[in-house]
Amino acid sequence: MSDFTIAQRERENVQVLELKGYLDAHTAPKLEEAFQSLLNAQRYNIIINCRDLSYISSAGLGVFMAYIEDVRKNKGDIKLSNMSAKVYNVFDLLGFPLLYEITKDEQEAFNKFAGSAR
Amino acid sequence: MKDDVELLSTFADQATVAIENSRLIKKSIERERLVQEMTLAQEMQRKLLPQGLPAVRGVDIDAISTPAFEVGGDYYDFVELSETTIGVIVGDVSGKGIPAAFYMSEVKGIFQSLSALYASPRDFMVRANAVLSASIDKHSFVSLLYGILDVRTGRFQIARAGHCPLLHVGRSDSAYLRPDGMGLGLAEDDFFSDTIEEHTLQLAPGDACVFYTDGVTEAHRNSDEFGYERLRAAAGLADGKSAARMKEDILRAVDAFIENESPHDDMTLVVVKWLGLTA
């Protein structure tokens, strides 16, 4: 049930985290750890690719809230992409699209980083 | 000499077993203590929920909250604001465990004190966000759906803060009502306040409104969720059935869907049926 993995890769100056599986109270610490190590390495431009994210609970959403302030304070951002309709609905109900940039695909999120750096 | 070595070796083995046993006993006592604390938290949380249903003339209400295995964050409550108005609230605190239980008790305190001061659900939400934001940690938040029903007129004022939409069940149709509004604890006062709208629903006599938490719509069998459409179908139409009956119909449909597996999350349902009796 609690299967959740994160794959990390770098696209120029942007860090991409690909989430896969169930992000809930049990698996949220894994994502916290990933954010923490990005922040420790002073990497603040982050894309969360949700293509293979099958479920997110409130505890999972909370992880984004925990780090966004620090990331933005350092002139970076957390942008989310490739959400399924089901996952998007969870973000949308809570009003997250007002707080985060959520794009259809990763390229669009990447372009926004590239655009704001210019 | 050889005997001495064997003797010492036997003693050493016994000492190892004794140390290991003592470690296991300690661990088991620790675990027992944690289980006891968890049970206590669950019990306290149950006590935070209403112990009965409000008896207000002109409205038929039923409610249930079934906690999942862990301590969750579902909350519902009622407040009799006057002889003819009643407030109904359902919410969900993010996360699980003891922190969720603490925040839930805070939400109850906020609701019981602020609801008496604000006649508009929207105003209540804005104030509740200000109070909660000051104390909640930054990865936690709360979703709420709050309605104030005038039992003389059937006027139901609704505000939603990040919570699942309200299901309005009429005689010939049913629909979800989803006023805009973000969860509490996610943004500062002005930003939050701009997102919250209030909707007024005019009920017809016999109409019902279903408040619920995501444990209902997200109840799942493998990767398939119960979802909004099945919930709407299970509630049926306002064809004269009681609030209790509508609640039972929904619970039965969820149980049948998950094939009697134990639910993964807390599930809360509150059914408010306006009878339309005029005194």
Side-chain angles (χ1 to χ4, degrees), chain B:
Chain B
M1 178 66 185
K2 196 181 157 210
D3 284 351
D4 286 348
V5 170
E6 271 178 15
L7 196 63
L8 278 175
S9 158
T10 307
F11 278 141
D13 285 350
Q14 281 178 351
T16 311
V17 170
I19 290 167
E20 179 62 12
N21 278 346
S22 135
R23 201 181 60 82
L24 287 175
I25 288 169
K26 212 170 152 191
K27 208 168 164 186
S28 130
I29 290 171
E30 184 95 332
R31 193 174 304 133
E32 178 80 359
R33 196 175 56 80
L34 279 176
V35 168
Q36 271 176 4
E37 272 182 21
M38 208 50 139
T39 311
L40 198 65
Q42 275 172 327
E43 201 181 311
M44 287 187 64
Q45 204 172 19
R46 260 196 303 277
K47 286 182 183 158
L48 290 173
L49 296 175
Q51 302 301 304
L53 294 165
V56 174
R57 195 179 147 86
V59 64
D60 168 25
I61 296 180
D62 205 353
I64 187 168
S65 187
T66 53
F69 175 68
E70 297 160 291
V71 179
D74 274 18
Y75 168 68
Y76 75 93
D77 213 345
F78 308 107
V79 61
E80 290 174 34
L81 295 165
S82 74
E83 275 179 21
T84 56
T85 49
I86 177 165
V88 180
I89 196 161
V90 169
D92 193 351
V93 176
S94 73
K96 292 200 181 304
I98 311 282
F102 270 111
Y103 287 134
M104 180 181 151
S105 72
E106 186 174 357
V107 169
K108 186 182 175 81
I110 290 173
F111 178 64
Q112 290 292 339
S113 53
L114 293 185
S115 58
L117 303 175
Y118 296 93
S120 136
R122 185 189 175 280
D123 293 349
F124 163 80
M125 292 293 197
V126 171
R127 190 68 201 126
N129 182 62
V131 176
L132 201 64
S133 292
S135 63
I136 203 163
D137 71 64
K138 57 186 174 183
H139 68 261
S140 300
F141 50 86
V142 174
S143 73
L144 289 176
L145 179 64
Y146 179 33
I148 298 177
L149 175 67
D150 184 326
V151 295
R152 289 165 309 179
T153 61
R155 189 169 173 267
F156 208 1
Q157 292 164 269
I158 308 287
R160 187 186 70 89
H163 198 75
C164 305
L166 180 81
L167 175 60
H168 171 212
V169 182
R171 201 180 287 268
S172 59
D173 204 0
S174 60
Y176 285 101
L177 187 74
R178 192 188 145 158
D180 281 343
M182 77 186 332
L184 288 94
L186 292 172
E188 296 293 312
D189 302 0
D190 288 350
F191 191 103
F192 175 85
S193 153
D194 286 347
T195 72
I196 295 275
E197 59 177 29
E198 183 169 307
H199 190 97
T200 301
L201 187 62
Q202 181 55 56
L203 300 180
D207 278 9
C209 286
V210 183
F211 293 65
Y212 55 94
T213 53
D214 58 9
V216 176
T217 44
E218 288 179 1
H220 58 260
R221 180 180 56 204
N222 304 321
S223 62
D224 202 9
E225 286 187 349
F226 187 67
Y228 293 98
E229 257 329 292
R230 286 192 185 90
L231 172 58
R232 205 168 73 89
L237 293 171
D239 49 8
K241 65 182 162 200
S242 65
R245 172 70 197 283
M246 191 174 286
K247 181 196 82 177
E248 293 302 330
D249 285 352
I250 296 169
L251 288 177
R252 236 194 317 271
V254 174
D255 270 351
F257 179 76
I258 62 173
E259 293 173 341
N260 304 317
E261 263 188 53
S262 61
H264 187 237
D265 199 359
D266 302 3
M267 255 199 283
T268 298
L269 265 180
V270 177
V271 180
V272 179
K273 181 185 159 90
W274 184 54
L275 301 173
L277 302 175
T278 43

Side-chain angles (χ1 to χ4, degrees), chain A residues 1 22 24-26 32 54-59 61-63 65-67 69-70 86 89-90 92-96 98-99, chain B residues 70 93-96 138-139 141 143 160 162-165 178 181-183 186-187 191 195 218 220 222-223 225 228 264-265:
Chain A
M1 175 51 68
Y22 280 70
D24 58 20
H26 299 285
E32 277 172 19
S54 30
Y55 173 81
I56 185 162
S57 76
S58 59
L61 293 168
V63 179
M65 291 309 296
Y67 292 97
E69 216 176 275
D70 283 348
K86 194 176 95 178
N89 186 50
V90 178
D92 192 35
L93 269 183
L94 271 154
F96 270 57
L98 297 167
L99 302 168
Chain B
E70 297 160 291
V93 176
S94 73
K96 292 200 181 304
K138 57 186 174 183
H139 68 261
F141 50 86
S143 73
R160 187 186 70 89
H163 198 75
C164 305
R178 192 188 145 158
M182 77 186 332
L186 292 172
F191 191 103
T195 72
E218 288 179 1
H220 58 260
N222 304 321
S223 62
E225 286 187 349
Y228 293 98
H264 187 237
D265 199 359

